[in-house]
């Protein structure tokens, strides 16, 4: 029954570094097109997975978008998603001014009170609003539903209300009627960078409530709740910045076998070193500093991706061909910035990486397995 090879394509999260991921993918796709011009990239894989910016790439590939167009999305629409510093400051001031709070309630003695909601309104503002991100995702994915995609697609996110991981799957009744852009935004909304994405789709809520009721009947300790406003989701990088293990688990579940081929694209790993003095002296504002590319997010997501890569190598070293594309940055890049200098630096890394022997050998291995 399962004589056909099972193939996985996976994309890490990495903010604007997605342009690097898409550039690596474009070079692979070009070679496949040279061999079979009528076949799309998505036709070669049974499962496609992506987290955060990787979810944009995964969903675009599953929709049939060429890798070149995906790369251009990051290159030309990146500034709408991650505006320049001046725009950020203007927007933060505007959002601050629009907050409905009573200045008379501010008291120095109470300023650090965890229950001071007036202070929370100011201190909890994300760096970016989500208008640009939502506009770009709606433009690229239109109103197509998640369940209309042909390959099995997996997108991790995190439900902060119930404090639990959510893995969106397009063949799951709970998620198939969500718009693609909603699934993507739920996986891209990095804490401190964007507001959480609220999903209040009627069918989604209805399916979750049915599942919650069944689960509670079996386990009285089950406590999933759904607020009237809908469920808030944040970046899937908090769950699986490298979603390849999620994809392997789904392969085992759906096809009763490990995959024959796993092709995993990272978003680059850098040498943006944190000194001994910084690591010992930084507080919350330093670790969440946008001008430093929010080091806490970079450390967490890059470390998570590396750990997943290690586990995957050990798990598949005998049964499966595993190909991992992950360039190393020699210079610092900023994960959440789309300024011209940052984009150019990422393009230079991509241009260099696709020319080296390691990359060419890996591409050849993928071509041999797919064609």
């Amino acid at each position: 029954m399962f004589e056909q090879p099972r193939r996985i394509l996976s994309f890490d999260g990495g903010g604007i570094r997605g342009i690097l991921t898409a550039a690596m993918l474009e070079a692979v796709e070009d070679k496949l097109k040279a061999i079979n011009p009528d076949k799309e990239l998505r036709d070669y894989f049974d499962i496609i997975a992506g987290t955060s910016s990787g979810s944009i790439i995964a969903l675009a590939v599953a929709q049939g978008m060429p890798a070149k167009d995906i790369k251009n999305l990051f290159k030309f629409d990146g500034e709408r998603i991650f505006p320049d510093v001046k725009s950020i400051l203007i927007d933060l001031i505007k959002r601050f001014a629009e907050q409905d709070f009573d200045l008379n309630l501010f008291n120095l003695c109470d300023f650090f009170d965890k229950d001071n909601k007036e202070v929370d309104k100011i201190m909890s503002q994300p760096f970016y609003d989500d208008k640009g991100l939502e506009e770009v995702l709606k433009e690229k994915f239109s109103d197509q539903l998640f369940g209309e995609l042909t390959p099995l697609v997996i997108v991790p996110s995190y439900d902060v209300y119930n404090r639990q991981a959510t893995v969106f799957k397009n063949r799951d009744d709970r998620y198939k009627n969500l718009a693609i852009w909603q699934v993507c935004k739920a996986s891209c909304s990095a804490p401190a960078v964007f507001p959480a994405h609220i999903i209040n789709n009627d069918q989604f809520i209805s399916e979750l409530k049915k599942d919650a009721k069944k689960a509670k009947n079996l386990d009285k300790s089950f406590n999933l709740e759904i607020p009237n406003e809908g469920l808030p989701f944040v970046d899937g990088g908090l769950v699986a910045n490298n979603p390849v293990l999620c994809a392997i688990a789904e392969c085992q579940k759906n096809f009763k076998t490990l995959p024959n081929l796993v092709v995993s694209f990272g978003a680059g790993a850098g040498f943006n070193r944190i000194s001994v003095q910084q690591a010992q002296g930084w507080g919350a504002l330093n670790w969440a500093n946008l001008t430093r590319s929010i080091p806490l997010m970079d450390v967490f997501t890059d470390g998570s991706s590396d750990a997943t890569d290690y586990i995957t190598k050990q798990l598949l070293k005998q049964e499966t061909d595993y190909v991992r594309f992950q360039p190393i940055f020699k210079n610092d890049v900023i994960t959440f910035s789309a300024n011209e200098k940052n984009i150019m630096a990422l393009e230079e890394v991509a241009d260099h990486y696709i020319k080296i022997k390691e990359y060419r050998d890996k591409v050849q291995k993928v071509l041999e397995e797919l064609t």
Side-chain angles (χ1 to χ4, degrees), residues 100-113 115-119 121-122:
D100 180 23
F101 57 80
D102 183 0
L103 286 172
N104 293 322
L105 294 178
F106 279 86
N107 184 305
L108 187 60
C109 295
D110 299 330
F111 191 79
F112 295 104
D113 183 350
D115 296 321
N116 190 330
K117 295 180 180 179
E118 300 304 323
V119 174
K121 289 179 182 180
I122 297 174

Side-chain angles (χ1 to χ4, degrees), residues 13-21 82 128 266-274 289-295 297-299 301-302 326-350:
I16 199 62
R17 289 186 284 163
I19 192 174
L20 170 60
T21 309
F82 304 112
Y128 300 106
F271 286 118
N272 191 359
R273 299 184 190 276
I274 297 170
N289 191 319
L290 182 64
T291 62
R292 290 193 173 104
S293 191
I294 310 184
M297 285 293 294
D298 275 350
V299 168
T301 55
D302 288 351
Q326 179 72 317
I328 304 297
F329 301 126
K330 292 184 178 179
N331 299 312
D332 293 346
V333 296
I334 303 174
T335 301
F336 302 109
S337 171
N339 68 48
E340 185 177 358
K341 182 180 177 182
N342 207 43
I343 294 292
M344 287 178 63
L346 287 164
E347 290 182 314
E348 287 174 5
V349 173

Side-chain angles (χ1 to χ4, degrees), residues 111-330:
F111 191 79
F112 295 104
D113 183 350
K114 66 178 181 179
D115 296 321
N116 190 330
K117 295 180 180 179
E118 300 304 323
V119 174
D120 279 349
K121 289 179 182 180
I122 297 174
M123 298 296 287
S124 62
Q125 292 291 304
F127 289 113
Y128 300 106
D129 65 29
D130 56 0
K131 293 176 184 176
L133 174 62
E134 186 166 315
E135 286 174 0
V136 170
L137 294 178
K138 284 181 176 179
E139 287 173 12
K140 302 305 176 183
F141 296 113
S142 189
D143 293 322
Q144 185 175 9
L145 298 181
F146 191 39
E148 294 173 355
L149 297 173
T150 303
L152 174 55
V153 185
I154 298 168
V155 176
S157 184
Y158 187 77
D159 168 4
V160 291
Y161 187 83
N162 289 293
R163 299 294 181 91
Q164 65 180 22
T166 296
V167 180
F168 294 102
K169 293 172 280 190
N170 62 324
R171 296 180 186 173
D172 190 313
D173 287 340
R174 290 171 292 180
Y175 313 126
K176 65 183 182 181
N177 289 295
L178 293 173
I180 292 173
W181 73 264
Q182 287 231 52
V183 174
C184 198
K185 189 162 177 277
S187 187
C188 288
S189 296
V193 182
F194 295 112
H197 178 61
I198 310 299
I199 297 183
N200 54 11
N201 175 281
D202 289 341
Q203 191 154 353
F204 166 73
I205 297 297
S206 176
E207 290 292 336
L208 279 186
K209 285 182 176 178
K210 283 195 293 186
D211 287 348
K213 186 175 181 181
K214 289 179 186 176
K216 197 162 189 177
N217 288 336
L218 296 172
D219 180 5
K220 300 303 181 183
S221 65
F222 187 81
N223 62 352
L224 176 72
E225 292 186 7
I226 304 167
N228 294 331
E229 303 94 325
L231 284 176
F233 290 92
V234 297
D235 199 311
L238 300 177
V239 176
N241 197 58
N242 176 350
V244 72
L245 287 177
C246 296
I248 291 169
E250 283 302 313
C251 184
Q252 185 72 46
K253 177 182 176 182
N254 285 271
F255 306 128
K256 314 304 179 190
T257 182
L258 288 171
N260 302 82
L261 174 68
V262 175
V263 183
S264 173
F265 285 88
F271 286 118
N272 191 359
R273 299 184 190 276
I274 297 170
S275 71
V276 174
Q277 291 78 13
Q278 288 171 330
Q280 288 192 316
W282 276 359
L285 294 178
N286 299 106
W287 283 103
N289 191 319
L290 182 64
T291 62
R292 290 193 173 104
S293 191
I294 310 184
L296 184 63
M297 285 293 294
D298 275 350
V299 168
F300 183 85
T301 55
D302 288 351
S304 169
S305 289
D306 291 344
T308 298
D309 177 48
Y310 172 80
I311 295 167
T312 304
K313 285 176 181 175
Q314 305 311 308
L315 180 66
L316 302 179
K317 59 183 176 182
Q318 302 247 332
E319 297 85 354
T320 302
D321 285 316
Y322 172 56
V323 184
R324 171 76 168 166
F325 296 96
Q326 179 72 317
I328 304 297
F329 301 126
K330 292 184 178 179

